[in-house]
């Protein structure tokens, strides 16, 4: 990663921009540039702190040799872009990498205790040290953010002078210098002391700065600051409530990621050369018009035949939502999942395709009737899959799976024709639950009542996060959704023991709706742990029967029982019931819903009502 230049960068004779004139500030893996250190996030490098720059100038900084294009038409269409690009990644110091900007700008010197902007310390070029004391400067531990995604410096001056009546947003400055020291008595905020040399305000601690209304009581609201886009980007007034955060808190940045599996007819890569042309091709409804367009665009031989182009256009139109002239994003994302569900059910035999095919899904050889007593049906062995995960936006102070579009912060100040993404490949097992048995179970009064408790709690959290006047997304909680989600978790835990994979190397992909009741558990990970092999073998019916029975019996008991099973609410915002880290929770990278909407009582029942569980016959047997 490199900091942005202070002035226009020099260009070589051929017009290329030399990369080596900016210092490198550490390195991150490509996957981290999407999931952990994406645009707008804070990253600590040694004793310095930076914010990852936005993508406004990314066409110049994300060079093609460092950030190659990747294609996934279905996901690109959903997100309104033409293609995706891998984040820059290179061990070569002569190349650019990602851009970062220093943030927060407020630093303190442990020696002289001055608290001021970084440049006011007069550090030597390329170093972050106090120009007087020659000791390393310490970036501010505290920042402020709002739920709209803005980020700003902590208002130390207003905090110190709050008792003098001069700490408001428009108050005149006193002319003194701020000081920051630690009493060393405790590790709490009470020991962090801030003062001003003006002598008009007493020394105060940081205690109380994290209260929900701490900054609102000072008359401070969000200014709309977006430091990742640079000072040249005007910051519109926001006016929302500011919250104090630790610089390293996970609440400072949360990615909004969307993903799609590459499924036929898009999964063999033959359509990639036409990636930038599909929107124009969709306007033509006959072969002659499509042929004329391709002749005009390609002087030489077409990348694929006209028949293939027409088949791809037909497949794309099949995913157009019916009866809704302006479908919502959630509606279109659901349609994308529906198509994946259909393909996973129908399969894609390896013997019928070339080596370029990136989606191979076959029926197991064993007798699937052995799974009937479990209520499990339709297992499929996904021997080969490709998933594209794109960074759509990011949020602050909110769950990325639970926000409305209004709280998502875009990656640039102007529209982009591409988004950062990564490609992961792996294998997996797909299975469904018997619709007849599931329909009977989810209509039971006790089952519906338990799911409704979770839905109400989750909806309350969504409404709070949407804020006044905001439109909250409806909670996805239904009995079948919670059942599938919890079952996926216990199977991942079981396979982490039986198949040798760490739980963090396995992921769930849920298909829960009125017309869907399935799950895909797969090893799509960019880490080497995803290439161990052997997960597909777990989908053979006889072995799968043993795994499900073992996982359900293991979920019957938790080391935190009876507290875990009898708790009224648990999890963030009370959106879980019988679920904890000792039984069904997973590493959050493995879960689509950040370890909420779980209840193992819907799997195994409760001591008072054992028939509440979908798999009660296994427990009682």
């Amino acid at each position: 990663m490199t900091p942005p230049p202070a002035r226009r960068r020099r260009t070589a004779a051929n017009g290329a921009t030399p990369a080596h004139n900016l210092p490198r500030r550490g390195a991150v893996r490509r996957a981290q540039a999407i999931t952990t250190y994406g645009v707008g996030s804070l990253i600590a490098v040694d004793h310095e702190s930076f914010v990852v720059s936005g993508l406004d100038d990314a066409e110049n900084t994300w060079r093609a040799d460092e950030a190659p294009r990747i294609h996934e038409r279905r996901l690109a269409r959903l997100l309104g872009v033409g293609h995706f690009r891998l984040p820059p990644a290179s061990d070569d110091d002569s190349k650019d990498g990602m851009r970062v900007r220093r943030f927060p700008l407020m630093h303190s010197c442990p020696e002289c205790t001055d608290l001021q902007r970084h440049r006011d310390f007069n550090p030597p070029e390329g170093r972050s040290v106090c120009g007087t004391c020659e000791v390393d400067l310490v970036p501010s531990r505290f920042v402020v953010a709002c739920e709209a995604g803005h980020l700003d410096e902590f208002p130390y001056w207003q905090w110190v002078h709050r008792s003098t009546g001069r700490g408001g947003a428009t108050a005149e400055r006193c002319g003194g210098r701020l000081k920051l020291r630690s009493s060393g008595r405790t590790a709490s905020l009470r020991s962090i002391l801030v003062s001003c040399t003006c002598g008009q305000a007493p020394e105060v601690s940081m205690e109380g700065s994290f209260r929900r209304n701490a900054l609102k009581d000072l008359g401070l609201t969000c200014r709309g600051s977006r430091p990742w886009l640079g000072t040249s980007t005007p910051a519109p007034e926001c006016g929302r409530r500011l919250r104090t955060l630790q610089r390293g808190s996970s609440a400072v940045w949360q990615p909004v990621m969307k993903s799609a599996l590459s499924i036929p007819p898009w999964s063999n890569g033959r359509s990639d050369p036409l990636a930038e042309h599909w929107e124009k091709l969709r306007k033509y409804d006959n072969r002659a018009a499509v042929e004329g367009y391709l002749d005009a665009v390609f002087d030489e031989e077409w990348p694929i035949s006209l028949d293939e182009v027409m088949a791809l256009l037909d497949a794309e139109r099949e995913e157009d939502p019916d009866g809704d002239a302006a479908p919502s994003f959630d509606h279109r994302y659901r349609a994308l999942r529906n198509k994946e569900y259909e393909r996973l059910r129908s399969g894609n035999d390896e013997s019928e395709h070339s080596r370029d095919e990136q989606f191979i899904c076959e029926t197991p050889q064993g007798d699937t009737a052995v799974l009937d007593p479990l209520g499990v049906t339709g297992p499929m062995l996904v021997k080969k899959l490709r998933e594209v995960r794109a960074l759509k936006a990011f949020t602050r102070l909110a769950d990325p799976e639970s926000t409305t579009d209004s709280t998502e912060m875009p990656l640039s100040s102007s529209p982009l024709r591409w988004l950062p993404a990564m490609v992961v490949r792996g294998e997996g097992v797909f299975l469904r639950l018997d619709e007849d048995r599931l329909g009977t179970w989810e209509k039971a009064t006790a089952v519906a009542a338990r799911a409704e408790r979770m839905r109400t709690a989750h909806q309350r959290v969504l409404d709070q996060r949407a804020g006044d006047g905001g439109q909250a997304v409806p909670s996805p909680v239904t009995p079948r959704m919670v059942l599938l989600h919890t079952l996926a978790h216990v199977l991942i835990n079981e396979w982490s023991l039986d198949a040798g994979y760490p739980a963090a190397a396995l992921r769930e992909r849920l298909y829960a709706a009125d017309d869907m009741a399935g799950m895909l558990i797969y090893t799509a990970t960019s880490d080497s742990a995803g290439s161990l092999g052997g997960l597909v073998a777990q989908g053979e019916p006889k072995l799968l029967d043993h795994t499900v029975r073992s996982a359900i019996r293991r979920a019957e008991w938790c080391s935190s029982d009876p507290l875990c099973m009898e708790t009224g609410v648990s999890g963030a915002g009370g959106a879980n019931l019988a679920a904890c880290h000792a039984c069904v929770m997973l590493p959050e990278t493995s879960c689509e819903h950040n370890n909420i909407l779980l209840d193992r009582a819907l799997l195994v029942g409760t001591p008072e009502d054992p028939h509440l569980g979908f798999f009660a016959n296994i427990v009682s047997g």
Side-chain angles (χ1 to χ4, degrees):
M1 298 177 297
T2 56
R7 58 186 180 275
R8 181 178 295 276
R9 303 175 69 196
R10 299 185 301 274
T11 56
N14 61 0
T17 303
H20 59 273
N21 61 338
L22 292 176
R24 292 180 68 87
R25 300 285 187 174
V28 297
R29 298 170 59 187
R30 269 184 166 146
Q32 290 178 308
I34 299 293
T35 59
T36 309
Y37 300 122
V39 171
S41 67
L42 297 184
I43 178 171
V45 180
D46 297 328
H47 57 274
E48 299 181 77
S49 176
F50 302 93
V51 62
V52 179
S53 296
L55 300 182
D56 292 272
D57 195 36
E59 286 292 353
N60 296 324
T61 58
W62 285 36
R63 291 166 32 184
D65 59 335
E66 297 182 57
R69 293 188 180 192
I70 55 178
H71 301 285
E72 172 45 55
R73 172 57 188 166
R74 297 168 62 247
L75 185 61
R77 181 187 174 201
L78 173 74
L79 298 178
V81 296
H83 62 278
F84 303 99
R85 295 178 70 173
L86 290 171
S90 175
D91 295 330
D92 187 349
D93 287 348
S94 67
K95 295 187 177 180
D96 258 355
M98 295 170 57
R99 296 295 184 86
V100 295
R101 302 175 186 272
R102 189 178 299 280
F103 187 86
L105 297 179
M106 293 296 290
H107 284 61
S108 61
C109 174
E111 190 73 25
C112 62
T113 71
D114 279 354
L115 174 64
Q116 57 190 354
R117 294 170 70 89
H118 183 270
R119 65 187 180 193
D120 295 334
F121 283 99
N122 296 317
E125 185 177 357
R127 300 181 61 194
S128 182
V129 299
C130 178
T132 303
C133 308
E134 296 187 353
V135 298
D136 290 338
L137 296 175
V138 180
S140 170
R141 283 177 52 188
F142 310 103
V143 296
V144 295
C146 78
E147 291 184 351
H150 300 118
L151 184 69
D152 209 345
E153 306 275 350
F154 182 83
Y156 287 103
W157 193 91
Q158 288 88 343
W159 184 252
V160 171
H161 293 83
R162 66 185 189 273
S163 62
T164 66
R166 303 179 59 183
T170 59
E172 183 179 353
R173 297 300 178 103
C174 63
R177 300 181 66 179
L178 293 175
K179 297 282 187 175
L180 184 145
R181 70 182 182 89
S182 174
S183 67
R185 296 178 181 175
T186 68
S188 67
L189 294 174
R190 184 179 300 178
S191 294
I192 301 175
L193 304 173
V194 187
S195 61
C196 182
T197 59
C198 69
Q200 301 176 21
E203 186 176 57
V204 298
S205 74
M206 292 296 294
E207 186 176 27
S209 59
F210 283 75
R211 286 191 301 109
R212 187 174 183 84
N213 293 321
L215 301 180
K216 181 180 180 182
D217 293 344
L218 297 180
L220 300 176
T221 56
C222 180
R223 302 181 304 166
S225 178
R226 299 177 291 181
W228 62 96
L229 296 179
T231 56
S232 61
T233 302
E237 289 293 333
C238 174
R240 296 201 185 194
R241 182 193 329 224
L242 287 169
R243 294 287 301 276
T244 304
L245 296 171
Q246 292 268 16
R247 174 165 49 90
S249 169
S250 61
V252 170
W253 187 86
Q254 297 139 329
V256 178
M257 298 185 65
K258 299 300 176 183
S259 66
L261 301 181
S262 296
I263 60 173
W266 307 94
S267 53
N268 56 15
R270 289 179 56 79
S271 63
D272 291 352
L274 294 175
E276 303 295 338
H277 301 282
W278 289 115
E279 290 302 325
K280 294 179 180 178
L281 286 169
R282 278 176 56 86
K283 299 177 182 178
Y284 304 115
D285 55 2
N286 61 77
R287 293 175 63 92
V290 171
E291 185 175 11
Y293 177 85
L294 293 175
D295 280 335
V297 171
F298 297 98
D299 296 332
E300 301 177 356
E301 184 179 356
W302 297 351
I304 56 177
S305 68
L306 180 60
D307 288 339
E308 288 178 288
V309 174
M310 299 306 298
L312 288 166
L313 289 173
D314 290 341
E316 183 167 295
R317 292 186 179 110
E318 286 180 7
E319 295 194 34
D320 291 340
D322 297 327
D324 193 350
S328 66
F329 181 86
D330 290 337
H331 187 102
R332 290 182 287 124
Y333 195 50
R334 200 176 308 121
L336 181 145
R337 287 292 183 101
N338 284 340
K339 210 65 180 177
E340 291 178 4
Y341 183 72
E342 293 175 10
R343 176 53 69 174
L344 287 165
R345 289 188 62 174
S346 60
N348 195 41
D349 199 308
E350 183 174 15
S351 61
E352 301 175 2
H353 300 279
S354 67
R355 293 178 57 187
D356 294 332
E357 178 59 48
Q358 300 175 93
F359 180 82
I360 302 297
C361 181
E362 299 178 345
T363 305
Q365 296 180 354
D367 184 7
T368 59
V370 70
L371 298 171
D372 291 345
L374 303 177
V376 174
T377 186
M380 299 293 287
L381 308 182
V382 186
K383 296 183 176 180
K384 192 176 180 181
L385 64 83
R386 173 183 184 263
E387 181 189 23
V388 175
R389 301 174 191 163
L391 179 62
K392 174 177 180 279
F394 64 88
T395 64
R396 306 195 197 276
L397 299 170
D399 185 338
E401 294 288 338
S402 307
T403 56
T404 59
D405 289 342
S406 61
T407 62
E408 293 180 359
M409 182 59 67
L411 307 182
S412 71
S413 57
S414 57
L416 286 172
R417 284 297 299 158
W418 59 274
L419 288 173
M422 63 180 178
V423 178
V424 287
R425 293 176 173 84
E427 59 176 356
V429 175
F430 174 74
L431 56 89
R432 294 180 287 124
L433 296 183
D434 181 82
E435 288 282 359
D436 294 334
R437 179 171 166 179
L438 182 62
T440 302
W441 171 82
E442 62 188 353
K443 291 176 183 176
T445 302
V447 171
R450 198 167 177 94
E452 180 60 23
R453 287 169 58 190
M454 299 177 65
R455 192 203 66 78
T456 301
H458 189 223
Q459 192 63 55
R460 187 184 307 116
V461 173
L462 298 180
D463 292 339
Q464 291 172 351
R465 288 171 176 163
D468 298 335
Q471 182 63 43
V473 295
S475 171
V477 172
T478 61
R480 73 168 57 192
M481 183 270 166
V482 177
L483 174 65
L484 285 165
H485 190 201
T486 312
L487 177 60
H489 276 229
V490 300
L491 285 177
I492 288 176
N493 278 329
E494 191 69 20
W495 277 331
S496 71
L497 300 174
D498 289 351
Y501 284 98
L506 301 177
R507 286 174 62 91
E508 66 180 6
R509 194 169 182 86
L510 304 178
Y511 301 90
D514 293 339
D515 56 346
M516 295 190 295
M519 71 181 73
L520 171 67
I521 298 176
Y522 61 110
T523 67
T525 172
S526 57
D527 201 319
S528 59
S531 59
L532 295 174
L535 183 62
V536 164
Q538 304 296 318
E540 289 294 338
K542 187 174 181 179
L543 189 52
L544 182 59
D545 173 71
H546 170 77
T547 300
V548 172
R549 291 179 183 275
S550 176
I552 295 302
R553 291 195 174 103
R554 197 183 301 275
E556 186 179 3
W557 181 85
C558 172
S559 59
S560 296
D561 280 340
L563 180 62
C564 178
M565 181 61 76
E566 295 178 359
T567 186
V569 293
S570 66
N576 286 339
L577 288 180
C580 71
H581 285 285
C583 53
V584 299
M585 288 189 177
L586 294 174
E588 290 195 356
T589 53
S590 300
C591 178
E592 284 196 309
H593 295 282
N594 298 296
N595 273 330
I596 62 172
L597 315 182
L598 296 164
D599 181 18
R600 62 189 173 91
L602 294 185
L603 293 179
V604 300
T606 65
E608 296 78 17
D609 186 4
H611 299 290
L612 178 71
F614 182 83
F615 297 98
N617 61 324
I618 298 178
V619 177
S620 61

